[in-house]
Amino acid sequence: MKQRTIAKSVEIIGVGLHKGIPVKMRLEPLEEDMGIIFYRSDEGVTIPLKIENVVDTKMATVLGKDGVVISTVEHILSAIYAYGIDNLRIVVDNDEIPVLDGSSSGYCMLIDEAGIKELNASKKAIKIKKEVEISTQEGKKVALKPSNHIIYDFSIDFEHPVIGQQKFLFDYSIDEYKENISKARTFGFLHEVQYLRSMGLAQGASMENAIVLDNSKILNPDGLRYDNEFVRHKILDAVGDMSLLGYTLVGEYNAHKGSHHLNHLLTKKLYESAENYEIIDLEEADEESKVFEIAYARA
């Protein structure tokens, strides 16, 4: 199996979630072994997708270098990672990725428009060999476990009548991602949005790009896209956050009440010991190669 990039450059203009101003984003193909790279065209700064370049995880996953940041990268990374793209440059002219409709489906359409190009170099993946877990006293947990498949198993528990307890298991393929994960939107509570706006944040947030809830109900006139859209979006975020590993994951991601912050701690902990993982060449690893061939087959 070979490394992947996109077949041609594509661009889009959208609104940033926090500043609420237009952001132009362009996706550009890269050659083999170059990885995923962000570029702030207004600052002339390149920020490679690396764990050490994560500078904030409170409200979103934020990358930074030399004092320059790019915020809310998890949705675009989720789509890129789901499509198995290894090499790509993401050019933006501000400090946020366009939020689009709050899901990753718009990024999937952009990648579909660009097309996929296979490169000459063999594709590599990271295979989990030993379970690694991050947990908190409040009962939150994220873990990576050995498996010959690619599984995301997530559960949430909110004290809200619309959300409550939800659980979803995503057995990875590009088609399954597009149909069951990519359309799930981010969500927030009205009192949180009002508080963030008082701090000059969430200026671009609206019911056009998020599910908004008050204390008892959903405020969006069109309701939900799935009954369990909330937990599906958590998986969308997790797929994006796992892209920080630098390789496509072979293993099981398992979470209960997970977050961007816990996902970041998990990726760091995995790399603390070489006993936890191995980097495999998908030209040589027959069993794992078949998993990806099936996952990519109809995309």
Side-chain angles (χ1 to χ4, degrees), residues 36-107:
I36 308 298
I37 296 170
F38 289 85
Y39 179 68
R40 280 281 302 274
S41 60
D42 57 322
E43 296 282 354
V45 173
T46 295
I47 307 175
L49 182 65
K50 293 182 178 179
I51 293 173
E52 56 265 35
N53 287 336
V54 175
V55 296
D56 192 4
T57 53
K58 290 190 289 293
M59 300 298 298
T61 299
V62 182
L63 301 176
K65 186 180 178 185
D66 301 330
V68 176
V69 302
I70 298 178
S71 181
T72 323
V73 298
E74 60 271 13
H75 296 174
I76 179 67
L77 288 175
S78 184
I80 290 167
Y81 199 50
Y83 274 72
I85 294 171
D86 306 283
N87 307 283
L88 186 72
R89 190 164 90 140
I90 305 159
V91 181
V92 292
D93 63 358
N94 212 302
D95 62 2
E96 295 183 87
I97 298 295
V99 68
L100 304 185
D101 71 346
S103 74
S104 65
S105 61
Y107 304 122

Side-chain angles (χ1 to χ4, degrees), residues 198-222:
S198 73
M199 299 172 60
L201 300 172
Q203 301 300 310
S206 73
M207 285 183 279
E208 298 296 319
N209 54 41
I211 304 167
V212 182
L213 306 101
D214 64 11
N215 292 330
S216 61
K217 63 185 181 299
I218 295 169
L219 300 180
N220 302 62
D222 295 334

Side-chain angles (χ1 to χ4, degrees), residues 171-237:
D171 190 348
Y172 167 74
S173 77
I174 297 177
D175 283 351
E176 284 295 312
Y177 177 86
K178 289 166 69 174
E179 183 62 30
N180 292 315
I181 302 299
S182 76
K183 301 172 188 176
R185 296 161 293 173
T186 192
F187 60 95
F189 300 95
L190 185 60
H191 67 275
E192 292 177 344
V193 175
Q194 292 168 337
Y195 172 70
L196 288 170
R197 283 181 173 168
S198 73
M199 299 172 60
L201 300 172
Q203 301 300 310
S206 73
M207 285 183 279
E208 298 296 319
N209 54 41
I211 304 167
V212 182
L213 306 101
D214 64 11
N215 292 330
S216 61
K217 63 185 181 299
I218 295 169
L219 300 180
N220 302 62
D222 295 334
L224 296 175
R225 295 174 177 174
Y226 314 94
D227 290 342
N228 56 358
E229 187 168 356
F230 305 97
V231 71
R232 293 186 194 219
H233 184 79
K234 288 291 188 178
I235 290 176
L236 186 157
D237 281 345

Side-chain angles (χ1 to χ4, degrees), residues 35-36 49 51 81 86 124 126 242-248 271:
I36 308 298
L49 182 65
I51 293 173
Y81 199 50
D86 306 283
K124 294 180 173 61
I126 183 166
M242 289 304 104
S243 71
L244 270 297
L245 292 171
Y247 301 93
T248 302
Y271 277 130

Side-chain angles (χ1 to χ4, degrees), residues 12 19 23 42 48-49 72 74 82 85 88 113 135 141 150 162 175 189 201 229 237 268 275 280 287 293 296-297:
I12 195 169
K19 288 188 175 180
V23 182
D42 57 322
L49 182 65
T72 323
E74 60 271 13
I85 294 171
L88 186 72
E113 179 187 342
S135 58
K141 184 195 80 169
I150 307 162
V162 176
D175 283 351
F189 300 95
L201 300 172
E229 187 168 356
D237 281 345
K268 289 175 68 177
E275 295 180 357
I280 57 175
E287 186 173 1
E293 286 168 6
Y296 294 168

Side-chain angles (χ1 to χ4, degrees), residues 141-164:
K141 184 195 80 169
V142 293
L144 288 169
K145 303 177 181 180
S147 174
N148 286 332
H149 296 275
I150 307 162
I151 302 290
Y152 284 79
D153 189 357
F154 210 118
S155 62
I156 59 174
D157 188 356
F158 281 81
E159 291 184 3
H160 190 282
V162 176
I163 307 176

Side-chain angles (χ1 to χ4, degrees), residues 112-130:
D112 286 338
E113 179 187 342
I116 300 294
K117 177 184 177 182
E118 285 199 344
L119 302 168
N120 291 325
S122 60
K123 184 180 181 72
K124 294 180 173 61
I126 183 166
K127 185 171 183 178
I128 306 304
K129 292 175 62 180
K130 183 178 177 182

